[in-house]
């Protein structure tokens, strides 16, 4: 309650200061300077450009659509505009009325030396109010060595302190003690429910289509809601309005192409990116050769995924523009076995076939309209659609022919379907009534359609021409839900030293006649000792109304998205954080943050239950609700300019769970699965010359936890047949039964790995370029455990750990034109 009172007090003080600012504006005339910031070469808007008046020492930053606005008193103005990777521009003029200035930023000659591209303070900023926030550009995403020729946004986020990666090689995010379903992924404001390809080895974010990304793990702005642990806000490229450009990349297991250019010069543009793996094409000749050596048995298997990103941008005028976005991604996995036996003497032939087909993927569509209502008010209105589907089909067919005629046939097919679909809208407004206030407000609505589980079995059998069959289905009815939210926040400068971001996020969720509401205060404050040193504190409350049920550490298409119900209440989390931030010489950033998070109504499967439990039992009967607590300290050091760039991070954290009802671990506290006590990350990039670039990363963290039986007990001896009233001369039989004393009671070996990469640049004529990339995953071939099992006699069992990722070299070739 003290924290809530503190937040409301800050919000009230910010609101009062806003009213005071409005009164001051009326008594003292202020004029507004506004406009867009563009890349001069492509005419694409720039996010996060800094606009600053040297005379008044006031400034702002361009928003997600490149628009900026702030008010100044009349008089002489000295404006400077800067953005990392672009040269600084400056203009001086006398302000006598509202003024519109559009900036055309020229790329800096130092661009290639900047590996960690972000506005000052992106990783550990001194001046802003945010804690635990990271801004990423495409160059930063590509600074981490590629895996199998693919760079990955989620892999970069895994290099941040406070973020656990989960199982080796996979795209999991477990942020500050949270679970993998507690991360809100947005593509141009549209929620994405599944961000994994190849069972989590790759993410759905194609780096060639990404314009920028923001990552929040603490002090969440009020404009975000719906998840407990983090927000990943990804913005896709709008497309070049001046010229046609593109690239294609050929890698070890995938290839991709990206094209962009004007539809109407200076008016409309497009950007298209497509990526596909060809593991299925590579394995086809292997199976063909293997099957040619086998007489009666044939084996087939294949896997591929694809991504398609499309965006169209149309500028009606300097005040009005529209964006159309589309994303489609799909994974397909299949395995099949065939057996054939011929009896020429009897004139018969028997054949059987069994296989599995999995298909899962996302579809996203959005329409965004930006409008500048006046020099102080900017708005964006969006219509959005999001869908995730998973379909699994398992079949077994057998038949026998006699003298060429069908004599008997059996066919059994099992299927498993699940999914979620959303349709809705989002509105966001930016209002700048005064230089000391940047106000944001808006609302969001989603109509959810959940299909938690649908499975069944179809059988057909018969002889000759007579066939019969049965169909048995188990399913949960589709669930429909309404989710609505509204927010307001103010980024207020109270004095030269004190700056506050205070806001409220209200949410409403209605499902099955039950309505849940939540008022979630957010606030962060910064005290500036000088331009290079500050302290910050923040509190955030978050609600979550959807859950992902999973029995595996690997992201599988069988994971279920389900809503809260009358029995399963919304998850809630409250997080405090505080830190010290320092900058040296404009190049080095240092920070130390301490945080504490409490979680309520978290869910896990009950002891002995899983998604594969009896189909006659609904998912609500298989889970339990409890609480969690997590806390820790994070240190970060970053060098963001020069030939050598990168960052070093260290995290010390604890994460616990408890289910007082006794359904999990007997109601006792236990450590979370990804309670990685220590975590160290070192990431570097070195620009040796215009033709050679090196990058690398080293990761260390304490081992993941798992549940194992550390004790066994023997059942009373029983003579064979004694239970049926018979005895014989064989010795008595007893059984060894495992005893699980506690959940997640075993910690696997510590994890560490070194990855390196090298890029060779080969400039061509007319601005074209070829890039060769060579990367090595796990350079010193550390056998990091993915799984562990007890081996040996139960009374003398030892844990044996299994690894599947040794040293993995890869390459890719990229041609830019």
């Amino acid at each position: 309650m003290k924290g809530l009172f503190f937040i409301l007090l800050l919000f009230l003080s910010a609101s009062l200061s806003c009213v005071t600012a409005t009164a001051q504006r009326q008594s003292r005339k202020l004029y507004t300077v506004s406009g867009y910031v563009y890349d001069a070469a492509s005419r694409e808007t720039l996010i996060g450009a800094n606009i600053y008046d040297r005379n008044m020492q006031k400034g702002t930053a361009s928003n997600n659509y490149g628009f900026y606005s702030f008010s100044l008193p009349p008089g002489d103005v000295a404006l400077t505009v800067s953005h990392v990777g672009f040269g600084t521009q400056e203009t001086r003029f006398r302000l006598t009325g509202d003024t519109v200035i559009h900036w055309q930023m020229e790329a800096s000659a130092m661009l290639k030396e900047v590996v960690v591209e972000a506005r000052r303070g992106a990783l550990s900023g001194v001046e802003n109010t945010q804690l635990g926030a990271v801004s990423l550009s495409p160059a930063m995403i590509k600074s981490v060595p590629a895996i199998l020729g693919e760079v990955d946004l989620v892999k970069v986020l895994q290099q941040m302190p406070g973020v656990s990666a989960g199982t080796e090689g996979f795209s999991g995010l477990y942020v500050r003690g949270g679970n993998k379903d507690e991360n809100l992924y947005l593509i141009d404001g549209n929620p994405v429910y599944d961000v994994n390809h190849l069972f989590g080895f790759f993410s759905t974010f194609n780096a060639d289509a990404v314009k920028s990304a923001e990552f929040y793990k603490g002090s969440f702005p009020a404009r975000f809601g719906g998840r407990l642990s983090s927000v990943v806000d990804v913005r896709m490229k709008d497309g070049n309005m001046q010229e046609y450009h593109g690239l294609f990349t050929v890698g070890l297991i995938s290839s991709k192409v990206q094209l962009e250019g004007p539809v109407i010069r200076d008016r409309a543009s497009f950007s298209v990116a497509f990526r596909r793996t060809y593991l299925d094409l590579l394995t086809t000749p292997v199976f063909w050769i293997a099957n040619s050596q086998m007489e009666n048995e044939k084996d087939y298997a294949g896997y591929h995924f694809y991504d398609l990103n499309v965006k169209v941008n149309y500028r009606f005028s300097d005040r009005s523009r529209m964006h159309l976005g589309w994303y489609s991604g799909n994974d397909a996995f299949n395995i099949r076995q065939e057996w054939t036996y011929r009896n020429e003497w009897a004139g018969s032939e028997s054949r059987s076939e069994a296989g599995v087909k999995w298909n899962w993927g996302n579809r996203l569509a959005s329409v965004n309209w930006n409008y500048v209502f006046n020099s102080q008010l900017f708005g964006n209105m969006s219509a959005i659609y999001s869908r995730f589907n998973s379909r699994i089909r398992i079949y077994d067919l057998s038949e026998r022919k006699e003298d060429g005629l069908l004599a008997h046939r059996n066919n059994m097919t099992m299927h498993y379907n699940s999914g979620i679909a959303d349709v809705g809208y989002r509105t966001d407004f930016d209002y700048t009534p005064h230089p000391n206030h940047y106000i944001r407000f808006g609302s969001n609505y989603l109509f959810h359609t959940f299909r938690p589980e649908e499975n069944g079995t179809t059988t057909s059998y018969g002889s000759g021409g007579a066939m019969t069959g049965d169909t048995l289905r188990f399913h949960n009815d589709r669930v429909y839900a309404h989710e609505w939210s509204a927010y307001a926040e103010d980024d207020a400068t109270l004095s030269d030293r004190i700056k506050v971001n205070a806001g409220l996020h209200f949410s409403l969720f209605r499902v099955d006649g039950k309505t849940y509401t939540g008022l979630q205060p957010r606030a962060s404050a910064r005290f500036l000792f000088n331009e290079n040193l500050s302290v910050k504190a923040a509190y955030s409350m978050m609600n979550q109304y959807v859950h992902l049920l999973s029995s595996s550490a690997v992201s599988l298409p069988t994971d279920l998205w389900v809503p809260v119900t009358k029995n399963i209440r919304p998850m809630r989390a409250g997080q405090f954080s505080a830190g010290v931030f320092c900058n040296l010489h404009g190049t080095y950033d240092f920070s130390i943050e301490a945080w504490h998070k409490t979680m309520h109504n978290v869910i896990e499967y009950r002891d002995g239950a899983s998604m594969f439990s009896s189909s006659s039992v609904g998912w609500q009967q298989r889970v339990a609700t409890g609480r969690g607590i997590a806390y820790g300290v994070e240190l970060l050091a970053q060098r963001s300019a020069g030939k050598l760039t990168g960052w070093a991070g260290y995290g010390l954290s604890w994460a616990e769970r408890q289910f007082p009802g006794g359904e999990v671990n007997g109601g006792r506290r236990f450590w979370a699965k990804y309670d990685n006590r220590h975590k160290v990350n070192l990431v570097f990039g070195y620009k040796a010359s215009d033709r050679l670039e090196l990058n690398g990363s080293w990761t260390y963290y304490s081992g993941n936890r798992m549940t194992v039986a550390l004790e066994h007990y023997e059942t009373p001896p029983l003579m064979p047949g004694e239970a049926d009233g018979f005895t014989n001369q064989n010795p008595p039989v007893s059984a060894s039964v495992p005893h699980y004393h506690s959940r997640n009671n075993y910690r696997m070996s510590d994890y560490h790995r070194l990855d390196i990469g090298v890029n060779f640049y080969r400039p061509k004529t007319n601005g074209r370029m070829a890039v060769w990339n060579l990367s090595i995953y796990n350079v010193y071939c550390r056998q990091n455990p993915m799984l562990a099992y007890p081996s040996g006699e139960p009374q003398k069992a030892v844990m044996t750990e299994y690894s599947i990722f040794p040293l993995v070299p890869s390459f890719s070739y990229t041609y830019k034109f």
Side-chain angles (χ1 to χ4, degrees):
M1 291 299 296
K2 291 181 178 178
L4 179 60
F5 176 77
F6 172 72
I7 299 305
L8 294 177
L9 183 62
L10 282 176
F11 187 72
L12 180 61
S13 64
S15 301
L16 291 176
S17 61
C18 183
V19 173
T20 304
T22 304
Q24 290 176 347
R25 180 180 176 88
Q26 294 174 352
S27 61
R28 182 188 179 192
K29 186 64 176 177
L30 294 176
Y31 296 115
T32 301
V33 180
S34 62
Y36 283 90
V37 183
Y38 297 98
D39 179 340
S42 66
R43 287 282 292 174
E44 190 167 357
T45 57
L46 295 178
I47 299 173
N50 291 305
I51 302 93
Y52 186 75
D53 177 24
R54 294 183 181 275
N55 294 341
M56 289 294 298
Q57 297 185 348
K58 302 291 184 182
T60 189
S62 58
N63 65 14
N64 285 333
Y65 306 96
F67 180 79
Y68 74 94
S69 172
F70 68 123
S71 299
L72 295 170
D76 293 334
V77 174
L79 285 186
T80 62
V81 180
S82 62
H83 192 286
V84 175
F86 293 84
T88 300
Q89 294 188 15
E90 182 173 350
T91 184
R92 295 178 179 270
F93 61 95
R94 187 165 185 81
L95 185 63
T96 59
D98 290 345
T99 303
V100 176
I101 302 178
H102 302 309
W103 301 87
Q104 308 291 332
M105 304 294 288
E106 299 285 348
S108 170
M110 292 292 291
L111 174 61
K112 294 180 181 179
E113 294 187 2
V114 180
V115 176
V116 181
E117 281 192 41
R119 58 184 180 273
R120 180 180 174 183
L123 289 185
S124 55
V126 172
E127 297 178 356
N128 61 43
T129 60
Q130 295 295 322
L131 293 91
V134 178
S135 177
L136 303 100
S137 69
M140 184 175 178
I141 297 170
K142 296 176 182 179
S143 68
V144 175
I147 300 176
L148 297 177
E150 285 283 339
V151 293
D152 193 279
L153 168 62
V154 176
K155 294 294 190 295
V156 177
L157 298 180
Q158 291 176 350
Q159 302 291 332
M160 301 298 169
V163 179
S164 296
T167 306
E168 177 179 19
F170 298 96
S171 296
L173 286 185
Y174 299 82
V175 181
R176 291 186 171 179
N179 289 326
K180 63 182 178 181
D181 64 334
E182 297 173 11
N183 309 299
L184 176 63
Y185 296 97
L186 299 171
I187 294 181
D188 286 334
N190 204 344
V192 188
Y193 287 95
D194 185 80
V195 296
N196 299 295
H197 286 308
L198 192 55
F199 308 105
F201 201 87
F202 298 109
S203 78
T204 60
F205 302 108
N206 184 344
D208 293 332
V210 173
K211 179 180 180 179
S212 68
E214 300 281 341
F215 176 59
Y216 301 88
K217 56 182 176 177
S219 68
F220 300 101
R223 58 188 178 274
F224 297 115
R227 300 294 187 275
L228 298 188
S229 295
S230 78
V231 177
V232 183
D233 185 15
V234 181
R235 300 288 163 170
M236 313 307 288
K237 289 183 177 179
D238 298 328
N240 194 313
M241 283 197 173
Q242 300 293 310
E243 301 174 325
Y244 294 99
H245 289 282
L247 61 85
F248 66 83
T249 299
V250 179
L252 192 63
I253 64 169
S254 66
S255 291
K256 51 188 178 180
V257 60
Q258 190 262 335
L259 297 171
E260 61 178 325
V263 178
I264 303 174
R265 189 179 176 88
D266 288 329
R267 179 69 64 179
S269 63
F270 73 92
S271 176
V272 178
F274 180 76
R275 174 177 61 166
R276 191 192 191 278
T277 58
Y278 31 75
L279 280 173
D280 53 337
L281 303 180
L282 296 176
T283 57
T284 296
V286 175
F287 282 105
W288 184 83
I289 294 173
N291 290 334
S292 66
Q293 309 300 318
M294 304 176 68
E295 181 177 355
N296 297 322
E297 182 179 337
K298 307 293 183 183
D299 297 314
Y300 305 91
Y303 169 84
H304 77 273
F305 74 78
Y306 78 86
D307 285 310
L308 175 64
N309 296 86
V310 180
K311 192 170 183 179
V312 178
N313 171 34
Y314 188 86
R315 185 174 65 86
F316 297 101
S317 67
D318 287 340
R319 299 181 63 178
S320 176
R321 62 188 63 205
M322 181 173 287
H323 307 269
L324 305 178
W326 170 262
Y327 169 81
S328 176
N330 193 73
D331 292 64
F333 172 77
N334 67 84
I335 184 170
R336 186 173 87 252
Q337 257 188 333
E338 296 179 0
W339 299 270
T340 303
Y341 176 75
R342 295 181 178 87
N343 189 332
E344 296 182 0
W345 180 80
S348 65
E349 177 182 288
S350 298
R351 186 178 74 88
S352 62
E353 179 181 337
V356 178
K357 292 184 178 181
W358 287 3
N359 286 276
W360 68 97
N362 293 286
R363 299 287 187 276
L364 306 177
S366 62
V367 179
N368 296 274
W369 178 51
N370 312 149
Y371 189 74
V372 181
F373 292 92
N374 56 53
S375 59
Q376 297 176 335
L377 182 62
F378 174 90
N380 178 74
M381 285 66 72
S382 304
I384 56 180
Y385 169 77
S386 178
R387 188 207 71 182
F388 170 71
N389 271 339
S390 172
R391 295 183 177 90
I392 304 176
R393 179 173 172 262
I394 305 172
Y395 63 94
D396 188 355
L397 169 68
S398 63
E399 63 181 23
R400 188 179 79 252
K401 294 182 178 180
E402 296 179 356
D403 298 325
L405 299 176
L406 181 65
H408 183 77
R409 180 184 179 94
N410 273 340
N411 185 15
M412 181 182 71
T413 302
M414 295 181 291
H415 68 271
Y416 183 96
N417 301 327
S418 67
I420 179 174
D422 292 344
V423 61
Y425 75 86
R426 182 177 180 88
T427 61
D428 298 283
F429 296 92
D430 295 1
Y431 179 51
T432 54
H434 189 273
N436 293 335
H437 294 273
Y438 188 156
I439 299 173
R440 296 180 176 92
F441 61 94
S443 67
N444 182 40
Y445 170 76
L446 291 174
F447 176 69
H448 299 285
T449 302
F450 296 89
R451 187 174 59 183
E453 290 179 296
E454 181 183 282
N455 55 74
T457 303
T458 300
T459 59
S460 61
Y461 49 89
S463 301
M467 300 292 293
T468 186
D470 295 304
T471 299
L472 183 63
R473 293 183 180 272
F474 299 99
H475 66 89
N476 291 323
D477 293 333
R478 295 192 178 190
V479 180
Y480 303 97
H482 303 269
E483 183 174 3
W484 182 84
S485 63
Y487 72 90
E489 65 177 90
D490 184 12
D491 205 23
T493 303
L494 304 183
S495 70
D496 291 340
R497 295 183 181 274
I498 301 176
K499 190 174 184 179
V500 174
N501 182 284
L504 289 172
H505 184 100
F506 174 80
S507 59
L508 180 149
F509 194 90
R510 182 168 178 80
V511 59
D512 290 338
K514 177 70 173 178
T515 300
Y516 293 102
T517 60
L519 185 61
Q520 304 150 57
R522 319 279 176 79
S524 57
R526 178 223 67 194
F527 182 83
L528 191 67
F529 290 100
N530 56 53
E531 63 178 7
N532 295 317
L533 180 65
S534 68
V535 294
K536 304 178 187 179
Y539 175 78
S540 297
M541 181 180 289
M542 304 287 280
N543 282 17
Q544 181 167 333
Y545 300 98
V546 295
H547 309 276
L548 182 67
L549 299 183
S550 175
S551 291
S552 172
V554 180
S555 296
L556 296 174
T558 51
D559 295 348
L560 301 177
W561 282 103
V562 295
V564 298
T565 67
K566 295 179 180 179
N567 302 318
I568 308 296
R569 297 180 61 82
M571 293 191 293
R572 293 184 294 110
Q575 182 179 165
F576 286 96
S577 56
V580 179
F581 298 79
C582 177
N583 177 270
L584 295 179
H585 311 297
T587 301
Y588 300 93
D589 283 285
F590 303 91
S591 68
I592 177 170
E593 290 186 44
W595 55 272
H596 183 280
K597 181 162 66 173
T598 56
M599 295 161 280
H600 302 275
N601 301 324
V602 297
I603 68 171
E604 285 203 23
Y605 279 109
R606 297 168 180 254
D607 290 340
S610 74
M611 69 180 65
F612 301 108
S613 301
S614 173
S615 299
S616 60
V617 179
W619 68 268
Q620 295 185 63
Q621 286 71 48
R622 297 181 231 165
V623 301
T625 59
R627 56 177 178 257
I629 183 173
Y631 47 94
V633 178
E634 299 168 6
L635 291 82
L636 186 65
Q638 176 199 6
R639 189 175 193 267
S640 56
K643 288 183 176 294
L644 178 64
T645 59
W647 69 89
Y650 170 73
L652 173 65
S653 62
W654 292 260
E656 298 178 344
R657 297 288 187 272
Q658 184 178 21
F659 292 78
E663 305 93 343
V664 180
N665 202 46
R668 303 184 306 273
R669 283 191 178 189
F670 62 94
W671 298 111
K673 181 176 178 63
Y674 299 109
D675 169 55
N676 305 124
R677 185 75 70 247
H678 302 278
K679 185 173 187 286
V680 179
N681 290 101
L682 303 175
V683 179
F684 76 90
Y686 181 69
K687 187 71 177 179
S689 68
D690 290 340
R691 293 176 175 265
L692 179 63
E693 183 180 61
L694 306 174
N695 52 57
S697 66
W698 184 76
T699 300
Y700 167 88
Y701 56 81
S702 304
N704 296 329
R705 292 183 174 272
M706 61 179 298
T707 304
V708 298
L710 299 181
E711 298 175 339
H712 289 73
Y713 64 88
E714 301 290 331
T715 61
L718 189 67
M719 295 295 294
E722 185 176 337
D724 301 320
F726 297 97
T727 60
N728 54 35
Q729 301 302 315
N730 293 325
V733 177
S734 62
S736 178
V737 179
H739 173 62
Y740 298 91
H741 182 266
S742 176
R743 182 171 288 205
N744 297 336
N745 58 342
Y746 174 78
R747 186 186 290 277
M748 291 191 286
S749 299
D750 291 351
Y751 181 100
H752 54 88
R753 187 189 82 237
L754 173 67
D755 304 334
I756 61 173
V758 57
N759 293 320
F760 300 95
Y761 296 92
R762 294 294 180 264
K764 306 292 183 179
T765 58
N766 299 324
R768 294 172 293 173
M769 179 177 291
V771 183
W772 286 93
N773 171 267
L774 300 177
S775 299
I776 300 178
Y777 176 90
N778 197 6
V779 172
Y780 50 81
C781 202
R782 161 72 174 176
Q783 298 300 301
N784 289 303
M786 180 180 180
L787 300 170
Y789 290 101
S791 59
E793 295 295 326
Q795 293 79 6
K796 301 179 181 179
V798 296
M799 295 301 296
T800 302
E801 297 178 338
Y802 298 90
S803 304
I804 62 172
F805 295 110
L807 181 149
V808 181
S810 61
F811 75 92
S812 66
Y813 173 78
T814 301
Y815 185 77
K816 300 180 180 181
F817 55 91

